[in-house]
Amino acid sequence: MLMTLIQKEIMHHILSARFVALLLMCLLLVPLTLSTNYRNYRQNLVDYQEAVKLANIEETTMNPGMPLDPEVEVSKLFLKPTPLSVFANGLADALPSYLGMTRNGITQGAPVLVSSLSHLLGRLDFLFVVGTVFSLLALLFTFDAVAGEREAGTLRITLANSLPRDLFLWSKLIGGYVVFVVPFLMSLLFGLLILVWQGFPLGEPEIFPRVLGLILISLLYIGVFFAIGTVISTYLDNSKTALIVTFTIWVFAVLITPRVGFLAAKFIAPAQTSQSVYMEKTAMRDDFNAALKEEQQKMFMEVPPDEKGHRIIGGEVSKKINERMKPFEEEYRSQFQNRANELDRSYKRETEGQEQVGQMLSRLTPTSSLIYITTNLTQTGKAKRSTYFQTGERYYEMLHTDLFSKIIDYTYSRQDKSVKITQPPAVEITTLGETLRQSAVDVMLLCFFAVILTTVAFLKFFRSDI
């Protein structure tokens, strides 16, 4: 009986106008976005390779005895684009294109998105198609599953034939879901074939399992919105009212709530900006340099003038001034480093706290969980950003040990020995196991939404008066 009802529901959806809309969306959006974004990835990869090549041409050695402006970038750590960004661009275009290493700390290069006006209109990728377009279509497939039959009077006739209510509702859910996911999977398969034809490394061990994970998460997310639509349909008797409520819930669940969570977090847990921290470090170093210059000027004034009243610095006098300046410079360098580290720790605590609050509030909707899982799988999310900046911090510590700590600001004798600038390390790739561990909360939330909403729909339908 259940199979008969499912077949009936499948035929009902196939003959409807909403199925035509679904086919058009699948055939046009999925292959088109994958193909277009892969071409964009290849262009970003070429830009990255050119930038790295240009940086390697520059001088790789430096004399610690030579004056060095504290704001000069002696080396750069570039962010390599990931091929999985064709599915979800995430933070890829918002992250700095490189991290510059200066004596004042780490500077950030301009992100990619500032170079294109198209970003004002938003990014079209697989994540957007699933999270926004298909979530709406899933609701349109189910908003009148029960309400439409109740309004037309067919629900009373159907259930009068000793048909269990659970079988009736299961047929609605399963039939609609099958009709929905088959075109979606076929269009996705066609899009993957186009990607492979263009050169996308789908068969690599680090690529294929992640793409498979994206497909499974997308199917689960679509199932959540099928459950939402079913709940709406069981609670309302009128199809027009159900449609209005469906659109309202979709707007809040997909467009508003994920953004409001982070807006609220800025008021609940305010934090400094990275630029303000950098400027504060620069002001601190200027103060220390002024203090060192004042100490040096005092020592200079202690040198007795010659017959013409000129104070000439050289030879033994220069050596003595350098020796006397070393304790002052070491003291100021230590004070600067301690205060800079304190600023960094405070900034990191504030930003992490603000993000945690924003994530917690945004997870009230399944769309946020989909975004977090997808960007983790495609290595364009929070985990990638954390790895990128942690690599930059480790690289800065290496440069500080090998070069910055050996630079003498105030000296009259230059050293002949040069120090080779340490080359930047590669940004590590998070393993699939670690990615799944980081996404466990969001996966469980999607499962929770699917189970709870389906249960609510069944309980309401069992108790409703036909």
Side-chain angles (χ1 to χ4, degrees), residues 3 55 102 111 129 135 167 173 187 196 240 264 270 312 359 391 393 425 433 453 464:
M3 292 303 300
T102 74
V129 172
S135 63
L167 292 184
L173 278 171
S187 65
V196 173
K240 293 181 180 179
I312 301 175
Q359 275 190 304
T391 304
E393 290 171 1
L453 291 169
S464 61

Side-chain angles (χ1 to χ4, degrees), residues 429-461:
I429 298 176
T430 307
T431 62
L432 181 59
E434 180 65 19
T435 300
L436 295 177
R437 187 191 66 80
Q438 294 169 349
S439 305
V441 173
D442 295 298
V443 173
M444 288 188 292
L445 279 174
L446 285 180
C447 294
F448 173 80
F449 282 125
V451 172
I452 291 297
L453 291 169
T454 303
T455 303
V456 170
F458 273 87
L459 291 176
K460 175 60 180 176
F461 188 58

Side-chain angles (χ1 to χ4, degrees), residues 121-409:
L121 305 177
R123 190 61 180 259
L124 182 63
D125 54 17
F126 179 76
L127 174 59
F128 174 83
V129 172
V130 173
T132 304
V133 179
F134 285 159
S135 63
L136 178 58
L137 289 174
L139 290 176
L140 293 179
F141 261 65
T142 54
F143 79 95
D144 62 346
V146 177
E149 296 218 21
R150 182 186 284 117
E151 187 179 21
T154 57
L155 181 61
R156 184 188 297 272
I157 298 174
T158 302
L159 295 181
N161 297 321
S162 301
L163 175 67
R165 294 192 180 191
D166 59 335
L167 292 184
F168 174 81
L169 199 55
W170 275 123
S171 67
K172 291 288 183 180
L173 278 171
I174 297 174
Y177 189 75
V178 169
V179 171
F180 194 97
V181 300
V182 168
F184 168 69
L185 291 176
M186 294 299 294
S187 65
L188 181 56
L189 177 61
F190 180 60
L192 291 176
L193 291 176
I194 294 177
L195 284 182
V196 173
W197 177 71
Q198 291 179 325
F200 182 77
L202 181 61
E204 291 188 2
E206 277 295 323
I207 301 294
F208 181 75
R210 294 176 182 270
V211 173
L212 182 60
L214 289 174
I215 297 173
L216 295 177
I217 288 299
S218 300
L219 295 177
L220 177 59
Y221 177 76
I222 291 171
V224 171
F225 275 86
F226 261 80
I228 294 174
T230 305
V231 170
I232 296 171
S233 186
T234 55
Y235 270 85
L236 299 174
D237 298 331
N238 185 275
S239 296
K240 293 181 180 179
T241 305
L243 182 60
I244 295 172
V245 173
T246 295
F247 271 106
T248 304
I249 291 177
W250 178 81
V251 168
F252 276 93
V254 176
L255 302 180
I256 296 179
T257 305
R259 294 163 175 80
V260 168
F262 283 94
L263 289 176
K266 291 183 178 181
F267 296 97
I268 298 173
Q272 298 183 72
T273 63
S274 59
Q275 187 63 27
S276 65
V277 173
Y278 181 79
M279 294 302 295
E280 193 167 349
K281 286 183 183 179
T282 302
M284 278 189 343
R285 185 176 287 279
D286 291 342
D287 292 340
F288 288 145
N289 286 344
L292 282 173
K293 189 172 183 180
E294 185 178 350
E295 293 291 341
Q296 183 193 37
Q297 188 65 25
K298 290 179 182 178
M299 295 178 188
F300 176 76
M301 295 303 296
E302 293 176 1
V303 177
D306 58 9
E307 298 173 352
K308 297 181 180 180
H310 299 154
R311 291 181 172 84
I312 301 175
I313 307 299
E316 291 297 323
V317 176
S318 174
K319 185 178 290 187
K320 288 180 181 180
I321 291 179
N322 288 340
E323 290 298 325
R324 291 177 62 186
M325 283 294 297
K326 282 182 180 179
F328 292 101
E329 186 166 357
E330 291 175 358
E331 178 185 356
Y332 287 129
R333 189 193 301 273
S334 176
Q335 291 180 11
F336 171 80
Q337 197 61 45
N338 291 337
R339 291 179 62 179
N341 291 338
E342 184 179 349
L343 278 175
D344 289 336
R345 288 192 295 268
S346 176
Y347 170 70
K348 190 174 183 180
R349 284 195 304 269
E350 290 177 357
T351 53
E352 287 180 351
Q354 186 182 91
E355 280 200 342
Q356 288 175 358
V357 173
Q359 275 190 304
M360 180 181 64
L361 296 176
S362 66
R363 280 181 171 134
L364 295 174
T365 172
T367 301
S368 297
S369 294
L370 172 73
I371 293 172
Y372 297 144
I373 298 170
T374 303
T375 52
N376 281 341
L377 286 171
T378 58
Q379 304 171 53
T380 57
K382 180 181 177 181
K384 180 69 172 184
R385 185 197 60 184
S386 299
T387 304
Y388 180 38
F389 286 120
Q390 287 172 6
T391 304
E393 290 171 1
R394 289 197 300 270
Y395 182 41
Y396 179 79
E397 291 174 0
M398 293 165 57
L399 285 178
H400 184 268
T401 302
D402 298 339
L403 177 64
F404 294 149
S405 62
K406 299 177 181 179
I407 294 176
I408 302 174
D409 286 308

